[in-house]
Amino acid sequence: QVQPVESGGGLVQAGGSLTLSCSVSGGTFVGDDMVAWYRQAPGKEREVIATITWDDGSRHYTDSMRGRFTINRNYHENRAFLHMNGLKFEDTAIYYCSVQRDYVVYWGQGTQVTVSS
């Protein structure tokens, strides 16, 4: 069982920055794990922001998220990150980390990000 755990959410003013962190509870990221960040705003569907492959660090972004959001990972800290800049009110959402391993997707509980206008 892989249990992603997110942290770093909170309240931030519009225009501010925030970094979210994802780790694996009681374990580690391994090999070709695919780590992804999603978000779900109230009344909207969950949408993917970006993905990163753990071993080689290759990244992909949803076009609308490119520019203000950066996905990264620290191999030695065994954490993945989502750096968010220039936050807008409409970025308010629950942000989720997921890990795909051996064709199974595991989800974290999510962390709330609230942007005040």
Side-chain angles (χ1 to χ4, degrees), residues 99-117:
V99 178
Q100 180 177 322
R101 180 180 299 176
D102 298 331
Y103 306 106
V104 178
V105 179
Y106 301 89
W107 292 92
Q109 294 298 308
T111 186
Q112 176 71 47
V113 173
T114 302
V115 183
S116 62
S117 58

Side-chain angles (χ1 to χ4, degrees), residues 14-49:
S17 299
L18 207 58
T19 295
L20 306 180
S21 173
C22 178
S23 61
V24 175
S25 177
T28 62
F29 293 106
V30 299
D32 58 358
D33 280 354
M34 175 77 74
V35 183
W37 284 99
Y38 286 74
R39 71 182 185 183
Q40 187 166 17
K44 296 189 177 181
E45 293 186 353
R46 192 171 298 190
E47 58 180 346
V48 61
I49 300 170

